[in-house]
Amino acid sequence: MTSPILITGGTGTLGRQVVPLLRAAGRDVRVLSRHGRDPGDGVEYMIGDLLEGKGIEAALDGVETVLHLAGGPKGDEVATRNLVEAASRAGVQHLVYISVIGADRVPLGWFASKLAAERAVAASGLPWTTLRAAQFHELVLSMLQKMAKLPVIPVPGGLRFQPVDSGEVAARLVELTLGAPAGLVSDLPGPTVYGMGELARSYLQATGRHRLTMPVRMPGKAGRAYRDGVNLSLEAATGKRTWEDFLAAYPGI
């Protein structure tokens, strides 16, 4: 195939790893983002805004495959609907979407937005693939860095994570993008389940910090869902890189 692969969110945590992998596979890449860049090494950058529906048609010109990585704290369903409507008109042959484990089970706004985006992809009439992944190590690290600024770190009881290596998710997405449309594929979590307290203690130890921790209870439906582990995927084939591996290799830790 000679048509470029369009990537939304191509400058983010995943995109920065996906782009060189696709280039190594011999594919030209087109990145749609709100800020343009000069083209280079088989990568073209185009300016657009998925939430506002701007620049999408031009970015899809001549494209048969779309890898939709762009996302934010809100509005994912709106951005995705705008993308799939334009992709349908453009005759796209494969739309690949990255979602989150628990999108259909965690009663919080961001998860609901991801589920609505999933449904927009599935109902688009386009051939599609959706991968649900766990939280990336980078996201967990960012959360702990903010919490460590407090004199006492709150540790919600029953809150567990199964963080996954973003590089392994990127490699899986490339495999799916270059393959045939497969619908909703198996989840991709990390290899180990950690309580929030375990993650906090390992981060503090790695950074040489000392903080008190305080157990707190998570109320409501969201707290019950997390205690039930609906954000986990215990029977899926998992990634291989652990949280400890990530901490040991991360710059500045």
Side-chain angles (χ1 to χ4, degrees), residues 19-31:
V19 168
L21 291 176
L22 286 172
R23 290 294 300 129
R27 299 302 303 271
D28 289 338
V29 173
R30 183 179 295 165
V31 173

Side-chain angles (χ1 to χ4, degrees), residues 57 109 112 122 128 158 181 192 229:
E57 287 80 5
W128 59 277
T192 308

Side-chain angles (χ1 to χ4, degrees), residues 166-184:
S166 60
E168 292 176 343
V169 177
R172 176 62 172 146
L173 283 168
V174 168
E175 178 183 31
L176 293 170
T177 300
L178 297 177
L184 182 62

Side-chain angles (χ1 to χ4, degrees), residues 16 23 57 61 84-85 92 114 140 148 150 183-184 202 220 242:
R16 290 193 300 270
R23 290 294 300 129
E57 287 80 5
D61 184 34
V84 299
E85 288 171 5
V92 166
K114 298 299 284 186
V140 176
L150 301 171
L184 182 62
S202 60
T242 66

